[in-house]
Amino acid sequence: MRPLIHDFEFNVPTVKLASIQINKDLRPYEPIQDPSIPVYKLRSIQIKQGLEADFMQPVFVQNTLINGVPDESRTRGDMWKYALSYLSPFKKQREDELAGMRKTYRNYVQCFLVDPLSDTENLSANITKMRQHSIQIVKDLLRTQQNMNFYREINEEQALLEGDYNGLIPQVLKSQNLSALFRILFIYSNLNVERYTQGQNELVSQLFMTLRRNDQNQNPFLVEADCFWCFQRMMTTMRSLFDLADDASNHGLIASTKRLDYFISKLRPKTYKLFVKQNISTAMFAVSWITSMFVQLLDGPNLERLWDVLICQLFLREKQLLQTFGYSLKLQEEVKIAKDQIHSIQVNPNDYFYQSRKAIIDAYVPIEDEEPGQNLLDYKRESWIDYMLAFCIVVVEYTVNKGGDEQIMFSLQQPTVFQEVEIEVMIRQAFDVLSEMRREIHGSKFSQFVKKFVQ
Amino acid sequence: MESSRNIKVALVGDTQVGKTSISTRFIYNRFDFTPVSTTGGQYKKKIIFVNQNQVQINIWDTAGQERFRALSELYYRSASAIILVYDVTRMETFLNLKYWIGELRAKGDKNAVIVMVGNKIDAAERVVSKAQAAQLAAEEKVFYKEASALSGESVCEIFNLIVEQVQIMQNPTEEVVSVKIQEQKDKKWFACC
């Protein structure tokens, strides 16, 4: 018999489901021996030491992100890059790989922007063709995070440096950072079938700002290249939220809001009654929360702290995934598979773990006749969003408890909870909700299944 | 359908035609130069006084981009009035109106009052002419207004028209007194939330 794995996805239901094992040494606010050193400093030192290691332990990345990266350590950018599998876990390979990726990005800029725009014969034809992508992007960039000085347009003289890409974009972007965002999104929309979608501008803007702020080399172009690849990797898992074609799948945007409805109805029946009474569905307010990962609600350190956890969810340890699907591998093999063809590993439909996953999917009942994902990528796409939904429930709960019945939809549009409750508290509560969610699913269908199996 | 005391209005149209600006102008009487793009939808409301009667206007502001159109349906499905916005400086937003009207007729409330609004008439580079738009409105049997969220011109009139038409729709037999929403400056009459 295959041993049961105490994975955060599939705990045995009889045991109390602690969603994630947090390493006690890394827990913030834990009393320490020497009270003269603040905890965040201690953690900064730990993280910096950890980054020096020859092999980056996935568990280290996960623990660090769940507990939050202290701002003063200036390592948040690196941690995110590891979590998005952009930096190699092996120290030896890191520099070469980075150089390669940055070179590729430079080539993309050459192919998609520099060459077509310098080709004088076909210039106007090229521009007309390319404009379909560029105009929408620029429109949205001009209204992206404009409350941040980082993206504010600057004075005219400096603006002349950037230009309007020979008329490719309708107006000059008067900020170097906005120009960087434009290049990233433009190349992304050219390389991917589903093109650019609103919401992606918010994601890239936050990603770029954080990477730039935590960059040690002070080279904006390298940061831009890194940001592009991090964004690309983020989208590998999140793409279905932005692709209309994926709406009919278990990991699409519609299914996500349906899941949120399902969980609210099961875990917070009072709130759900209120929603039904006032004819509110979560799709009415949660869509912008989910697609922009709360960028429109939060900003600054609070947002970065939340993103630590959200990005950690995008990074499900390959080993855990494989174990979930019944593979048992050594570390070296794991990394090799992870790089080569992790997403194409097929799952045996008779497998115990596949069956349990199916039980969970059945419990959501989002889309009829849709089987759970049969490969690892689908699995990742289905499961990463659970924490985000848990956080949504926390926000909803606070808002509903506070506001009068009449005002509920209105206050859900502009939740004031972030001004009143510490983000750290809400993040912890969301983890509790997450385990409640899992308990709910396991309790309904999965537990019976497991009982049979264990006996 | 909701009673005339409580009117649900949905704003639809292509991306960046000024749907959010129109609602902000109406509700707060101000113009945001750098609004954020709307993903999903936004809910706003305002209580106004029409001929001494209190009317609550619930505005559902939707996202224009194609990806979110499937979701916009949620908002306009039960709306008693729909403001269909296009940009007078961009022809393609006007050409898309036919598509929008088709969608609204197919999926929205059959009795909904549809008002076609040409926004940004303050801009110098106008492309869509008044006659052109009036013709389309007549063909499709929808109401037609032009406005500017930037200057505030005619924004209130759109809502005057809506309140009036919704009243007619709901009480066809009663004689409807012409509607005039109280002036925005008059704080006594104008409660804002």
Side-chain angles (χ1 to χ4, degrees):
Chain A
M1 187 180 123
R2 197 182 288 124
L4 278 174
I5 291 148
H6 288 268
D7 179 48
F8 69 83
E9 288 294 330
F10 300 107
N11 273 302
V12 186
T14 47
V15 186
K16 196 182 176 235
L17 290 162
S19 53
I20 286 182
Q21 297 114 9
I22 294 168
N23 187 344
K24 280 195 174 162
D25 302 335
L26 290 174
R27 202 177 269 206
Y29 315 129
E30 197 78 16
I32 48 164
Q33 279 79 8
D34 186 359
S36 64
I37 308 172
V39 181
Y40 73 90
K41 283 214 165 140
L42 205 72
R43 296 195 60 233
S44 297
I45 296 165
Q46 278 178 341
I47 290 167
K48 277 178 187 162
Q49 280 171 353
L51 285 171
E52 293 299 313
D54 287 338
F55 179 77
M56 183 62 78
Q57 296 286 348
V59 71
F60 167 76
V61 180
Q62 217 168 15
N63 279 342
T64 311
L65 285 173
I66 284 174
N67 290 311
V69 185
D71 217 27
E72 62 107 51
S73 69
R74 296 264 157 233
T75 53
R76 179 168 266 133
D78 283 345
M79 293 312 295
W80 286 11
K81 284 179 206 164
Y82 282 112
L84 294 166
S85 316
Y86 173 55
L87 288 184
S88 157
F90 292 105
K91 199 181 180 185
K92 280 179 196 165
Q93 301 169 6
R94 222 165 278 160
E95 286 305 313
D96 290 348
E97 276 188 18
L98 263 187
M101 295 306 253
R102 285 165 175 172
K103 201 177 162 198
T104 316
Y105 179 73
R106 199 171 302 146
N107 287 343
Y108 285 155
V109 175
Q110 190 76 21
C111 295
F112 291 110
L113 279 163
V114 181
D115 284 347
L117 295 180
S118 60
D119 182 358
T120 40
E121 276 176 37
N122 302 323
L123 184 62
S124 62
N126 279 349
I127 284 178
T128 339
K129 212 172 73 190
M130 288 157 73
R131 262 192 150 205
Q132 322 160 358
H133 306 306
S134 68
I135 288 178
Q136 174 73 49
I137 294 173
V138 171
K139 264 182 220 154
D140 285 340
L141 285 183
L142 291 174
R143 42 183 184 171
T144 300
Q145 298 234 10
Q146 286 297 306
N147 52 345
M148 288 285 163
N149 224 5
F150 190 74
Y151 289 120
R152 274 269 165 79
E153 306 232 358
I154 46 171
N155 65 55
E156 299 278 327
E157 280 171 42
Q158 280 165 294
L160 294 173
L161 296 171
E162 290 297 325
D164 67 347
Y165 296 96
N166 282 345
L168 175 63
I169 55 178
Q171 64 198 95
V172 179
L173 291 168
K174 293 171 188 169
S175 150
Q176 290 188 335
N177 296 326
L178 280 183
S179 284
L181 295 193
F182 171 74
R183 284 191 291 271
I184 293 170
L185 285 170
F186 183 76
I187 290 168
Y188 178 84
S189 74
N190 273 298
L191 284 172
N192 293 278
V193 238
E194 85 278 6
R195 299 279 148 78
Y196 163 77
T197 307
Q198 282 177 344
Q200 288 175 340
N201 56 335
E202 313 274 359
L203 295 179
V204 177
S205 70
Q206 186 55 42
L207 199 57
F208 185 68
M209 191 151 58
T210 305
L211 294 188
R212 183 89 170 81
R213 250 164 38 82
N214 294 301
D215 178 40
Q216 265 106 22
N217 301 324
Q218 298 299 321
N219 184 341
F221 187 79
L222 297 185
V223 178
E224 188 186 321
D226 292 350
C227 180
F228 172 79
W229 288 113
C230 285
F231 178 62
Q232 180 79 33
R233 266 146 225 265
M234 235 164 124
M235 281 302 129
T236 314
T237 314
M238 292 180 64
R239 175 166 294 145
S240 33
L241 293 180
F242 296 98
D243 194 351
L244 199 58
D246 273 343
D247 269 358
S249 73
N250 275 323
H251 35 81
L253 187 56
I254 304 256
S256 309
T257 53
K258 277 189 181 166
R259 268 190 213 185
L260 187 54
D261 273 334
Y262 171 84
F263 282 123
I264 291 180
S265 74
K266 289 290 173 193
L267 302 178
R268 304 286 181 268
K270 265 189 190 170
T271 308
Y272 191 70
K273 257 186 200 165
L274 209 63
F275 278 13
V276 172
K277 200 175 139 203
Q278 303 196 12
N279 209 357
I280 297 171
S281 89
T282 53
M284 291 174 174
F285 56 88
V287 166
S288 67
W289 299 359
I290 292 172
T291 53
S292 70
M293 295 200 356
F294 300 98
V295 171
Q296 291 183 345
L297 288 189
L298 282 159
D299 53 14
N302 282 354
L303 183 64
E304 286 187 332
R305 174 67 187 93
L306 180 59
W307 270 45
D308 281 346
V309 186
L310 292 180
I311 282 181
C312 182
Q313 304 298 312
L314 288 172
F315 168 75
L316 292 174
R317 286 163 57 199
E318 257 67 15
K319 194 174 175 187
Q320 271 176 334
L321 283 174
L322 290 171
Q323 285 177 341
T324 309
F325 281 90
Y327 290 82
S328 146
L329 293 163
K330 285 177 189 149
L331 206 57
Q332 288 285 339
E333 285 174 273
E334 173 204 341
V335 173
K336 207 172 154 212
I337 288 185
K339 293 211 77 163
D340 296 346
Q341 74 247 87
I342 182 124
H343 297 321
S344 59
I345 292 176
Q346 290 295 313
V347 183
N348 176 7
N350 298 322
D351 190 274
Y352 157 68
F353 290 96
Y354 177 76
Q355 288 292 335
S356 60
R357 185 72 200 155
K358 190 166 176 339
I360 293 174
I361 296 290
D362 285 349
Y364 296 140
V365 211
I367 308 281
E368 279 172 32
D369 303 331
E370 173 83 3
E371 292 288 299
Q374 298 210 5
N375 62 44
L376 289 182
L377 183 59
D378 281 352
Y379 171 82
K380 216 170 165 179
R381 284 179 173 169
E382 279 160 16
S383 50
W384 82 273
I385 207 167
D386 288 352
Y387 181 80
M388 184 114 89
L389 300 185
F391 196 83
C392 289
I393 292 177
V394 173
V395 178
V396 167
E397 205 183 350
Y398 270 115
T399 314
V400 169
N401 287 346
K402 196 179 143 241
D405 290 2
E406 295 277 312
Q407 298 278 338
I408 171 166
M409 191 61 219
F410 189 65
S411 27
L412 279 171
Q413 288 293 322
Q414 284 144 346
T416 50
V417 47
F418 302 109
Q419 280 107 54
E420 290 144 20
V421 187
E422 288 239 5
I423 191 80
E424 198 62 48
V425 175
M426 294 178 73
I427 285 171
R428 300 278 144 169
Q429 281 170 344
F431 274 117
D432 292 344
V433 174
L434 187 67
S435 37
E436 266 182 73
M437 280 159 62
R438 298 225 157 100
R439 215 172 300 150
E440 160 63 31
I441 297 164
H442 290 213
S444 57
K445 287 190 179 176
F446 185 55
S447 67
Q448 298 165 356
F449 183 81
V450 171
K451 264 179 206 159
K452 257 190 232 162
F453 183 82
V454 173
Q455 282 161 6
Chain B
M1 198 188 277
E2 291 163 274
S3 74
S4 59
R5 292 293 164 85
N6 206 340
I7 299 177
K8 185 173 169 186
V9 181
L11 277 153
V12 296
D14 277 9
T15 171
Q16 256 234 336
V17 293
K19 298 180 290 294
T20 308
S21 296
I22 287 182
S23 64
T24 329
R25 169 60 77 186
F26 175 66
I27 287 179
Y28 309 109
N29 196 14
R30 66 152 197 255
F31 186 82
D32 286 338
F33 280 91
T34 53
V36 291
S37 56
T38 316
T39 41
Q42 275 181 0
Y43 169 71
K44 290 164 186 165
K45 69 174 181 183
K46 180 163 192 167
I47 293 167
I48 54 169
F49 288 87
V50 177
N51 307 325
Q52 318 278 323
N53 292 322
Q54 185 178 316
V55 176
Q56 180 177 321
I57 297 197
N58 302 320
I59 300 182
W60 286 95
D61 183 9
T62 66
Q65 209 191 13
E66 206 168 350
R67 197 259 164 278
F68 297 104
R69 276 182 195 166
L71 289 162
S72 307
E73 212 186 301
L74 269 177
Y75 303 91
Y76 61 71
R77 207 161 39 200
S78 58
S80 40
I82 295 160
I83 303 180
L84 182 53
V85 189
Y86 68 95
D87 180 352
V88 294
T89 64
R90 273 157 60 213
M91 187 48 105
E92 72 271 16
T93 66
F94 177 72
L95 295 177
N96 272 342
L97 289 181
K98 280 212 161 163
Y99 160 82
W100 277 114
I101 293 172
E103 285 285 286
L104 298 178
R105 290 263 154 81
K107 292 168 187 164
D109 190 326
K110 292 280 176 298
N111 296 320
V113 178
I114 301 178
V115 187
M116 213 171 96
V117 174
N119 192 21
K120 309 192 188 175
I121 49 169
D122 55 275
E125 60 277 10
R126 189 190 175 109
V127 182
V128 186
S129 73
K130 242 180 178 170
Q132 222 175 345
Q135 197 196 340
L136 179 72
E139 276 172 22
E140 297 285 349
K141 300 197 179 78
V142 296
F143 296 95
Y144 163 61
K145 285 268 174 201
E146 290 203 333
S148 163
L150 178 64
S151 64
E153 192 184 339
S154 310
V155 172
C156 224
E157 283 162 33
I158 300 170
F159 289 90
N160 280 344
L161 177 76
I162 284 173
V163 175
E164 196 178 296
Q165 289 302 326
V166 169
Q167 279 187 0
I168 294 175
M169 195 67 78
Q170 286 168 358
N171 314 307
T173 48
E174 267 177 50
E175 200 180 315
V176 175
V177 252
S178 82
V179 171
K180 180 91 179 87
I181 296 176
Q182 315 292 333
E183 270 303 306
Q184 306 234 349
K185 286 164 199 163
D186 194 350
K187 284 273 158 64
K188 269 185 212 160
W189 291 105
F190 221 80
C192 180
C193 33

